Amino acid sequence: MPIADKLILQRQRHLKWRALDWLELALMILCGVLCFGFSLSVTADVVTRTIGHPWLWLQEVTSTLFIYAIFIGTAAATRRNDHLYLTAISEAMHGTPRVIVEVIIRIIVLGVAFCLIWYGYQNYLRGFGSFRLPSGTPIASLYAIIPLSGVLIGLFTIEQLVNGLRNGFDHPTPPDEDAAPVVTEAQARAQP
C-alpha cells in the first residue's frame, strides 16, 4: 500500500474533492517533517546546553518549527474533519436539523479562517519592524504561516460545504479494515 493511501484519510470521502488529495498528502508529510525537526532541535538544544556550549540559534529554529507545525497541522486537520469541528452535536442528528448544524459549524470555521487571514496578514506586515535574536531575521518569518493556514482552512471548509450540500453530510462511516470483525450475540451463540 503506497504511503499516499495511508496518509490521505478516506473517512467522509463524500465531503472531499479528489483534486485536493495531493494537498492533504503534502500537508501531512510537511507536518511530519516539522514535528521531527522540532523534536530534533529541542534535543540538540538540551544536549548543547548540557555540555556547556549552547547554540542560541536553535531556539529560533525550534520556535519556528513549532509554530509552522501548529498552523499546517490545523489546516490538515480541517481537511480531515479532525479539528475545529463539533462532531458530537452534528452526528447525533439526521435530516434537515443535521444539515443546518453542519452549515452553521462550517460558517463559524469560515469566520475563524477569515480572522486568521485578516489578522495574520496584519501581524505579518507589522513583523517587519521587529527582529529575532540572535539572527536578526524579521519576526514576520514566524507570522507568514498564519494567513496561509487561514486560506487552506477556508478552502477545505468551502470544499466540505459544497460537497455536504450536494451529497449530504450524513453518510455511514465505512468499517475500519484493521479492526476486528464485530460479532453479534446471535453469531456468538451459533458458534461451537
Side-chain angles (χ1 to χ4, degrees):
M1 176 180 283
I3 191 166
D5 292 339
K6 292 181 180 181
L7 290 179
I8 297 173
L9 195 61
Q10 297 303 314
R11 182 172 35 92
Q12 296 183 336
R13 187 76 234 176
H14 65 285
L15 296 177
K16 299 177 182 181
W17 293 318
R18 292 218 182 270
L20 293 180
D21 284 354
W22 68 270
L23 187 53
E24 181 180 350
L25 177 64
L27 291 175
M28 292 301 293
I29 291 171
L30 186 56
C31 279
V33 169
L34 289 169
C35 288
F36 177 76
F38 170 77
S39 300
L40 192 63
S41 68
V42 167
T43 302
D45 191 27
V46 169
V47 168
T48 59
R49 287 178 184 279
T50 302
I51 63 173
H53 299 289
W55 296 346
L56 298 178
W57 58 269
L58 274 174
Q59 290 185 353
E60 285 186 53
V61 170
T62 301
S63 63
T64 301
L65 292 172
F66 182 70
I67 291 169
Y68 274 62
I70 287 171
F71 286 101
I72 293 294
T74 302
T78 301
R79 174 103 198 299
R80 299 162 66 91
N81 280 335
D82 287 338
H83 196 63
L84 296 174
Y85 187 68
L86 307 172
T87 58
I89 296 170
S90 63
E91 288 181 358
M93 300 176 176
H94 300 284
T96 304
R98 176 159 184 175
V99 171
I100 291 169
V101 169
E102 294 275 6
V103 169
I104 289 171
I105 288 170
R106 284 177 175 81
I107 288 172
I108 292 169
V109 173
L110 275 175
V112 170
F114 176 76
C115 289
L116 286 170
I117 295 167
W118 181 260
Y119 295 110
Y121 185 68
Q122 288 179 352
N123 280 334
Y124 170 74
L125 293 178
R126 287 189 192 123
F128 285 104
S130 300
F131 301 93
R132 301 176 71 191
L133 294 176
S135 70
T137 57
I139 204 160
S141 64
L142 287 179
Y143 298 148
I145 194 61
I146 299 171
L148 176 61
S149 176
V151 167
L152 292 171
I153 290 169
L155 172 68
F156 296 145
T157 303
I158 290 169
E159 171 192 38
Q160 292 170 10
L161 262 174
V162 169
N163 288 326
L165 291 171
R166 185 179 294 159
N167 303 326
F169 290 99
D170 192 11
H171 279 273
T173 305
D176 189 9
E177 294 175 7
D178 297 333
V182 178
V183 179
T184 64
E185 189 176 319
Q187 291 172 333
R189 279 185 271 152
Q191 292 179 352

